[in-house]
């Protein structure tokens, strides 16, 4: 599997409310359990579709994306005051050690899933913090999302998070997606 990014020319598709059929706002917030004062990062934020759902519940949310053009799209539609843009690869985050209370990734894990990226997430998430990953499953039928040969399974994600020093506290495989919650 190779690294790729979402086509910026199709960015408007990332704001389609039908995306909630794969992970609802309520499910994401329940798994993430954001609290006032928390500092979190949306890894692969794209146009901020899910960033906007988390922002009202935390002190700061970093919209992390490797493509500056995605940030431009997000800025043009308007952003909450507590969103800070970070243009970076997940394998090279510009945060201090233990800076984040939590991080989340919605449908982008397959774009950055490397040992280096998981080690970097472990470096920046504070002890006791957690990471919520919801992504396209290799076990899916491919009706939506990337081709199945570009996806990972829940077992792959669990193995990678555990190798990076996390403890997986929740995992589930669904029709097209998987959920993995890992605590540092």
């Amino acid at each position: 599997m190779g690294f790729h990014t979402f086509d910026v020319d199709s960015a408007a598709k990332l704001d389609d409310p039908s995306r909630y059929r794969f992970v609802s706002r309520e499910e994401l917030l329940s798994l993430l359990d954001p609290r006032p004062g928390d500092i979190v990062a949306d890894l692969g934020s794209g146009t901020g579709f899910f960033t906007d759902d988390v922002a009202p519940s935390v002190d700061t949310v970093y919209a992390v994306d490797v493509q500056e053009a995605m940030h431009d799209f997000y800025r043009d539609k308007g952003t909450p005051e507590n969103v800070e843009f970070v243009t970076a690869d997940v394998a090279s985050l510009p945060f201090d050690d233990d800076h984040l209370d939590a991080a989340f990734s919605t449908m982008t894990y397959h774009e950055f899933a490397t040992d280096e990226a998981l080690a970097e997430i472990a470096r920046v998430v504070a002890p006791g913090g957690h990471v919520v990953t919801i992504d396209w499953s290799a076990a899916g039928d491919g009706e939506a999302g990337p081709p199945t040969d570009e996806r990972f399974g829940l077992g792959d994600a669990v193995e990678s998070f555990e190798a990076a020093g996390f403890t997986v506290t929740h995992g589930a495989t669904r029709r097209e997606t998987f959920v993995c919650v890992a605590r540092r």
Side-chain angles (χ1 to χ4, degrees), residues 70-94:
M70 286 294 187
H71 291 323
D72 293 341
F73 188 97
Y74 190 10
R75 282 184 191 97
D76 287 348
K77 74 175 192 174
T79 59
E81 288 183 20
N82 63 334
V83 171
E84 294 185 27
F85 293 98
V86 176
T87 304
D89 187 305
V90 175
S92 182
L93 296 169

Side-chain angles (χ1 to χ4, degrees), residues 105-110 133-137 152 176-178:
S105 167
T106 51
M107 309 315 185
T108 58
Y109 178 79
H110 65 279
T133 304
I134 302 162
D135 198 26
W136 302 105
S137 174
F152 294 87
E176 281 288 343
T177 61
F178 70 83

Side-chain angles (χ1 to χ4, degrees), residues 23-103:
V23 57
S24 70
R25 171 186 306 115
E26 293 77 13
E27 180 185 25
L28 176 61
L29 292 174
S30 176
L31 293 167
L32 189 62
D33 193 25
R35 313 234 174 193
D38 279 356
I39 298 171
V40 302
D42 180 352
L43 306 173
S45 60
T47 63
F49 183 76
F50 289 105
T51 314
D52 285 347
D53 292 334
V54 173
S57 302
V58 300
D59 183 63
T60 303
V61 59
Y62 293 105
V64 178
D65 204 285
V66 72
Q67 298 181 86
E68 183 64 35
M70 286 294 187
H71 291 323
D72 293 341
F73 188 97
Y74 190 10
R75 282 184 191 97
D76 287 348
K77 74 175 192 174
T79 59
E81 288 183 20
N82 63 334
V83 171
E84 294 185 27
F85 293 98
V86 176
T87 304
D89 187 305
V90 175
S92 182
L93 296 169
F95 305 129
D96 291 336
D97 293 356
D98 305 332
H99 182 67
L100 303 175
D101 297 297

